[in-house]
Amino acid sequence: MAKTLEFVFDFSSTYGYLGGFIADQIAAEFPDLDVIWRPYLMGVAMKETGVPVGMNVPIKGDYMNADLQRTAKLLGVPLVLPEAFPFLGIAACRAFYALERSSGQDKAQHFARSAWEACFGRGEDITNAETLVSAASEMGNDTSALLADMQDQAVKDHLREMTDSLIKRGCWGSPHFIVDGSEMYWGVDKRWELRDFLRQN
């Protein structure tokens, strides 16, 4: 049986946001599967690989806007683009890894869901540190400590190392789902194939 599922995403990615709900559904469907969230800097991957931002390609952007709303409706979740969109997810990534270091993966996952709820659920700006620490404070985190940890060079280095490592493993967009370190699926539209693979392995 499959043992681990890595959910690789960028906080600024609308499809990554929808992928978070899929990751949670799969965690519930396959309770023996260890689901690990791995935020990274998709912009670095796109720059290194030459892959353009989909929304910046007119004919593709029009399709994506319609597809995102359709998929959100199918999943039964809200999707609101914040005024500051597109944006960089670097601050949210740093907050995630700072919380993972201090409180563990589960706490970091809860933070990610809360940050996304603020961003794509209510249209708030999560490049704003106050919004991020507010999302973290809902779970009882020390906001002043989190702000300090987000500026810790070790956290910044970890994010860069994680990003470089995921790119070397073949990640270039958001979301990617990686089963047991090798079997990779990209995009929320691959959730059917991913589930089928997990059932058979």
Side-chain angles (χ1 to χ4, degrees):
M1 292 181 63
K3 296 181 179 179
T4 63
L5 176 68
E6 293 171 89
F7 167 48
V8 180
F9 64 93
D10 188 303
F11 274 100
S12 68
S13 167
T14 44
Y15 281 113
Y17 161 71
L18 297 176
F21 292 101
I22 293 167
D24 282 342
Q25 289 176 355
I26 289 175
E29 292 170 24
F30 300 89
D32 293 332
L33 190 67
D34 186 17
V35 180
I36 305 166
W37 289 34
R38 303 280 195 213
Y40 83 133
L41 301 177
M42 181 176 64
V44 175
M46 288 184 161
K47 183 177 180 180
E48 291 189 10
T49 61
V51 175
V53 177
M55 288 292 189
N56 292 343
V57 181
I59 194 169
K60 186 175 182 179
D62 293 342
Y63 171 82
M64 287 176 63
N65 282 325
D67 184 61
L68 284 163
Q69 294 298 333
R70 177 173 55 204
T71 304
K73 183 177 181 180
L74 185 63
L75 292 172
V77 301
L79 177 58
V80 180
L81 294 184
E83 185 176 344
F85 183 84
F87 59 89
L88 297 176
I90 187 168
C93 284
R94 288 176 179 172
F96 179 97
Y97 286 119
L99 284 169
E100 183 182 47
R101 182 179 70 172
S102 65
S103 305
Q105 172 74 196
D106 287 347
K107 201 71 169 283
Q109 286 189 24
H110 284 304
F111 159 76
R113 296 184 190 98
S114 184
W116 261 337
E117 181 180 352
C119 181
F120 293 118
R122 301 192 297 270
E124 297 177 12
D125 180 7
I126 61 169
T127 65
N128 185 312
E130 292 182 2
T131 302
L132 286 174
V133 297
S134 175
S137 68
E138 293 174 7
M139 299 171 294
N141 291 289
D142 184 331
T143 57
S144 59
L146 177 58
L147 284 171
D149 286 347
M150 287 170 64
Q151 298 304 316
D152 189 317
Q153 191 60 47
V155 170
K156 295 179 181 180
D157 290 344
H158 180 68
L159 171 57
R160 171 59 69 174
E161 291 163 4
M162 184 64 71
T163 296
D164 291 344
S165 172
L166 289 166
I167 292 171
K168 288 178 181 177
R169 293 173 62 191
C171 295
W172 46 269
S174 173
H176 286 275
F177 298 93
I178 308 173
V179 182
D180 289 341
S182 58
E183 189 74 14
M184 183 183 293
Y185 296 85
W186 171 72
V188 297
D189 54 336
K190 287 294 182 180
R191 58 192 182 275
W192 318 110
E193 290 92 333
L194 171 58
R195 283 184 168 94
D196 186 63
F197 180 84
L198 290 171
R199 292 188 189 101
Q200 296 183 49
N201 294 274

